[in-house]
């Protein structure tokens, strides 16, 4: 008697991987592009204002340090808010804060106003806008996630290339106050962008799963009509509409976020704000010496990178370079960053790289390049070395979130959330340290060396740990 086969079809829900998702891609680029200008072009915009207050380096380092700290901690709270409110509502909250900060900067007359308006208020705004937009992005894409994220990264970095030129032109053409009014007007663009952050539920695709069972042979054979359906998605007919929360770490340009699609789907049980926050802040990892070494090292590398970008225009200005020359050098820096991101995408598609070792080697190379940067003050030398530094920074920023997915695969969302808190603390400590060094030495070169020291600490501590662990591993094998 021949084999008897039964076949039936299940319908499962899947991310749309397109459609309205492309609108959200555009909105994400707008949000990150608009909010990047005050950070990327900080020195060009506020340099003269801070010099008039007496110390541009102190103002820049403290303002940016507070900004990084505030947005890091706000990003943690935002994941809890996304369990209560929609992407759009959390995005609107961020837009309101960011616009209030931008308007406040127009009327800033001293350091305190600058720190409050930029560091605190806009830090809160960015800390809400980033997870809201990236969480919406995360929910609309699955199979095409890597491609669309690469496009977003390229467009964001391209905008970073243009921002210094735009800031230099605006400052020379219309002046400080009108430039700040223009930034406030651009900040308002986040409102229409956030209005597009719709829930994914109405856009989910229904995907057919064909199951056939061979009665004689016994085992069940399943054929998936479309490969993008996740194991966590269940049959519409058997349990109704259902989707489990999907968490991931997303990197866009210089900023990363641990994001989730949790609030956009019907849940088996409701997860409130505090429950979500407690789960994401499992403090037991902080007892792990390896985790602390990894997190502090990455926090130092990230803080040094962001602080370097903020003070670089000021350092170049103090050397006598004109605004247009500084803008050109910054443009070369970000253009090299874009090239290296494209190259890294190609390389990682051909071979597997261990993210932590890639960052370790890059940190060592940056130490050499930063030292070379301050050894010669000619225009062409600065241009070439900044091109090298821009090329290298991609190998810090892009693989940074992947370190936690590789080292703490089962706990990566928690590990990354805790890293954001560690990074905030590192940034808060390092800002005043740079200000103290500048006040003590009155030297931009020494401030640059302090930033380079952050990479040296990372290289030394990681090398010692990896060497020790490797040695111990060999000893255990011998035993």
């Amino acid at each position: 008697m021949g084999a008897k086969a039964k076949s039936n079809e299940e319908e499962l829900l899947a991310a749309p991987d397109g459609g309205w998702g492309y609108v959200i891609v555009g909105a994400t680029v707008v949000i990150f592009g608009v909010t990047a200008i005050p950070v990327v072009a900080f020195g060009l915009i506020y340099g003269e204002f801070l010099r008039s207050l007496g110390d541009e380096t102190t103002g820049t380092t403290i303002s940016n340090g507070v900004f990084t700290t505030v947005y890091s901690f706000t990003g943690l709270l935002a994941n809890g808010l996304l369990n209560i409110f929609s992407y759009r509502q959390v995005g609107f909250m961020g837009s309101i804060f960011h616009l209030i900060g931008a308007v406040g900067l127009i009327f800033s007359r001293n350091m305190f106003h600058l720190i409050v308006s930029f560091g605190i208020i806009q830090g809160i705004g960015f800390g809400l806008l980033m997870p809201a937009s990236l969480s919406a992005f995360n929910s609309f894409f699955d199979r095409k996630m890597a491609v669309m994220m690469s496009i977003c990264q390229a467009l964001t970095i391209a905008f970073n290339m243009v921002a210094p030129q735009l800031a230099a032109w605006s400052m020379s053409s219309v002046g400080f106050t009108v430039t700040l009014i223009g930034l406030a007007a651009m900040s308002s663009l986040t409102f229409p962008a956030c209005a597009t952050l719709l829930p994914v539920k109405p856009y989910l695709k229904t995907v057919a799963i064909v199951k056939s069972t061979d009665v004689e042979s016994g085992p069940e054979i399943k054929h998936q009509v479309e490969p993008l359906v996740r194991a966590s998605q269940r049959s519409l007919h058997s349990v109704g509409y259902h989707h489990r929360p999907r968490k991931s770490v997303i990197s866009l340009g210089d900023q990363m976020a641990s994001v989730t699609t949790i609030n956009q789907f019907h849940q088996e049980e409701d997860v409130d704000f505090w429950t979500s926050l407690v789960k994401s802040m499992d403090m037991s990892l902080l007892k792990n010496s390896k985790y602390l070494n990894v997190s502090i090292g990455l926090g130092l590398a990230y803080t040094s990178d962001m602080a370097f970008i903020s003070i670089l225009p000021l350092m170049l200005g103090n050397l006598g370079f004109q605004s247009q020359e500084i803008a050109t050098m910054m443009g070369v820096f970000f253009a090299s960053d874009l090239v290296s991101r494209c190259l890294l995408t190609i390389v990682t598609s051909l071979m597997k790289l261990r993210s932590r070792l890639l960052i370790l080697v890059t940190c060592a190379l940056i130490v050499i390049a930063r030292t070379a940067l301050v050894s010669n003050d000619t225009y062409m030398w600065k241009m070439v070395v900044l091109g090298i530094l821009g090329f290298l920074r991609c190998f810090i920023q892009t693989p940074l979130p992947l370190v936690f997915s590789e080292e703490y695969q089962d706990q990566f969302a928690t590990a990354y959330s805790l890293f954001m808190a560690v990074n905030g603390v590192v940034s808060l400590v390092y800002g005043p340290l740079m200000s103290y060094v500048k006040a003590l030495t009155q030297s931009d070169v020494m401030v640059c060396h302090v930033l380079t020291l952050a990479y040296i600490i990372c290289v030394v501590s990681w090398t010692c740990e990896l060497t020790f662990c490797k040695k111990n591993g060999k000893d255990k094998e011998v035993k």
Side-chain angles (χ1 to χ4, degrees), residues 81-96:
L81 290 173
L82 285 167
N83 291 312
I84 305 171
F85 303 103
S86 68
Y87 305 138
R88 183 161 49 177
Q89 288 170 325
V90 175
F92 280 147
M93 293 179 201
S95 295
I96 291 169

Side-chain angles (χ1 to χ4, degrees), residues 5 30 55 86 107 165 245 283 398 407 442 453 456:
V30 169
D55 189 355
S86 68
F107 303 99
Q165 298 282 352
M283 298 296 179
T398 302
E407 301 286 341
Q442 294 299 311
L453 179 63
I456 295 173

